[in-house]
Amino acid sequence: MISNRILEDKDTFFLLIQLTDIATAAHERGDYETRDKALEEIKEIRKQILGQITESYDKKD
């Protein structure tokens, strides 16, 4: 599921798409180091997005 927060920030959305493409291509080439780096970046972005979503819900309460 894609959150509205990601869709509102096109730069983040495109970065996630690029990192996903990098991870996929690296995996297909057997370049697991590059794949793992891209996946780590994706994880960090997801944590930041989830933190922002949590903050916005907390503000609503």
Side-chain angles (χ1 to χ4, degrees):
M1 182 173 114
I2 298 177
S3 101
N4 287 337
R5 173 98 41 196
I6 296 172
L7 294 175
E8 291 170 359
D9 183 355
K10 290 181 183 178
D11 291 337
T12 301
F13 179 76
F14 288 122
L15 178 58
L16 286 171
I17 297 296
Q18 289 174 338
L19 288 169
T20 302
D21 289 345
I22 290 168
T24 301
H27 180 79
E28 290 173 353
R29 291 191 314 268
D31 183 357
Y32 303 117
E33 184 178 339
T34 300
R35 177 202 64 189
D36 291 347
K37 286 179 184 177
L39 291 175
E40 269 308 309
E41 287 187 52
I42 292 169
K43 286 179 190 176
E44 288 303 314
I45 292 169
R46 288 183 65 196
K47 284 180 190 176
Q48 292 173 6
I49 292 168
L50 290 174
Q52 291 174 0
I53 291 170
T54 302
E55 286 177 15
S56 69
Y57 281 129
D58 289 344
K59 289 179 182 177
K60 289 179 183 179
D61 292 339

